[in-house]
Amino acid sequence: MKKHLLKIILPAFAIVMAAGLAFATEESNLPYVGYIATESGYAEIQTDCPNVGQNQCYEGLDPVFNDIGLTDPKLRN
């Protein structure tokens, strides 16, 4: 009886764990759109800056902005 119960419970537990962990992604892993200055104007980039905090976000040495006009700096913690 113990083996029979274990054969049913163990796969069910594995399915529940897999479904739960599938939704356990962090929001900070999602890419955000940002803009950097280039010689020809601006370039749209994917960044990991969530625009919260007080420090300017950088992509390499280039500061990242929220708008195409490059006036609203993107922030990070």
Side-chain angles (χ1 to χ4, degrees):
M1 179 70 178
K2 204 181 242 188
K3 286 185 179 181
H4 181 66
L5 187 62
L6 189 61
K7 286 182 181 180
I8 293 172
I9 300 279
L10 191 59
F13 180 70
I15 290 170
V16 168
M17 287 294 293
L21 293 174
F23 295 103
T25 58
E26 294 182 26
E27 186 176 327
S28 64
N29 291 340
L30 300 174
Y32 299 95
V33 175
Y35 302 94
I36 59 172
T38 64
E39 293 177 4
S40 60
Y42 69 91
E44 184 177 304
I45 61 164
Q46 297 292 320
T47 181
D48 62 349
C49 297
N51 202 34
V52 293
Q54 298 177 351
N55 300 322
Q56 172 82 38
C57 179
Y58 286 90
E59 182 68 30
L61 298 175
D62 300 319
V64 181
F65 296 91
N66 288 316
D67 61 338
I68 295 172
L70 306 175
T71 58
D72 182 20
K74 191 171 273 296
L75 304 174
R76 77 169 348 162
N77 290 335

